[in-house]
Amino acid sequence: MSEENVVYIGNKPVMNYVLAVVTQMNGGTTEVVLKARGRAISRAVDVAEIVRNRFIPDVGVGDIQISTEEIVGNEGTATNVSAIEIQICKE
Amino acid sequence: MSEENVVYIGNKPVMNYVLAVVTQMNGGTTEVVLKARGRAISRAVDVAEIVRNRFIPDVGVGDIQISTEEIVGNEGTATNVSAIEIQICKE
């Protein structure tokens, strides 16, 4: 899968990411992966649910993976943060 | 599955829920389901990751489901909120 099909979820409003996914899907992409870390995880779930329920009904949520990533801060201290990957695919 | 095996994730500190899961697992339960809504979703992912990485290494994350739930407020207005269910099982 090319990197173009990945939507990274950050701190922008939810609808920005929904629009990104819908645009990709309407452009012919059949699979998009949402990636998020930390507190953006709940926003990633919101994006998947809004796309599915309001915009593209024939889209399904595929595999969901969770993991832990290590982030090294400016002072060299490492902290662990949870991450999620949500696969969205046209059925 | 009995309701005892469900841990509802709310706004308490993460370690409270980790302790609840670890206690159930050490008591012989082989499967626990974490349920969370809204902003507690990222905390549920944290709980699953901390249990797996720090406390019970032979525990795996099974099925993860996301959904939308309708919450009716005090004034009768309905709002949608995303929800997650994370299955944790002993391998």
Side-chain angles (χ1 to χ4, degrees):
Chain A
M1 195 182 55
S2 74
E3 278 297 301
E4 290 171 46
N5 298 343
V6 176
V7 174
Y8 291 91
I9 310 294
N11 293 316
K12 292 181 193 162
V14 177
M15 292 313 278
N16 292 29
Y17 305 107
V18 171
L19 187 66
V21 175
V22 170
T23 306
Q24 286 205 16
M25 287 285 187
N26 288 341
T29 308
T30 54
E31 188 190 316
V32 172
V33 174
L34 308 177
K35 292 192 182 188
R37 294 196 293 204
R39 272 185 280 181
I41 288 175
S42 39
R43 189 170 291 119
V45 175
D46 289 342
V47 171
E49 286 296 311
I50 292 171
V51 168
R52 175 164 73 170
N53 292 327
R54 282 204 247 161
F55 289 91
I56 318 180
D58 62 338
V59 141
V61 171
D63 205 29
I64 303 177
Q65 299 282 345
I66 61 174
S67 58
T68 302
E69 294 182 9
E70 199 173 73
I71 292 186
V72 180
N74 291 334
E75 293 139 26
T77 50
T79 39
N80 288 328
V81 66
S82 300
I84 199 168
E85 291 188 25
I86 304 175
Q87 191 188 37
I88 298 180
C89 19
K90 268 200 175 145
E91 279 159 353
Chain B
M1 195 183 54
S2 75
E3 278 298 303
E4 289 171 49
N5 297 344
V6 176
V7 174
Y8 291 92
I9 311 293
N11 294 316
K12 291 181 194 161
V14 177
M15 292 313 280
N16 291 29
Y17 305 109
V18 171
L19 186 67
V21 174
V22 171
T23 306
Q24 286 204 16
M25 286 285 186
N26 287 342
T29 308
T30 55
E31 189 190 312
V32 171
V33 175
L34 308 177
K35 293 193 183 189
R37 293 197 291 204
R39 273 184 281 180
I41 287 174
S42 38
R43 189 169 290 118
V45 176
D46 289 340
V47 171
E49 287 296 310
I50 291 171
V51 168
R52 176 163 70 168
N53 293 328
R54 282 205 248 160
F55 289 91
I56 318 179
D58 61 336
V59 140
V61 171
D63 205 29
I64 303 178
Q65 299 281 345
I66 61 173
S67 58
T68 302
E69 294 182 8
E70 199 174 71
I71 293 187
V72 180
N74 290 334
E75 292 140 26
T77 49
T79 38
N80 289 327
V81 67
S82 300
I84 199 168
E85 290 187 27
I86 303 174
Q87 192 188 36
I88 297 179
C89 20
K90 268 201 175 145
E91 278 160 353

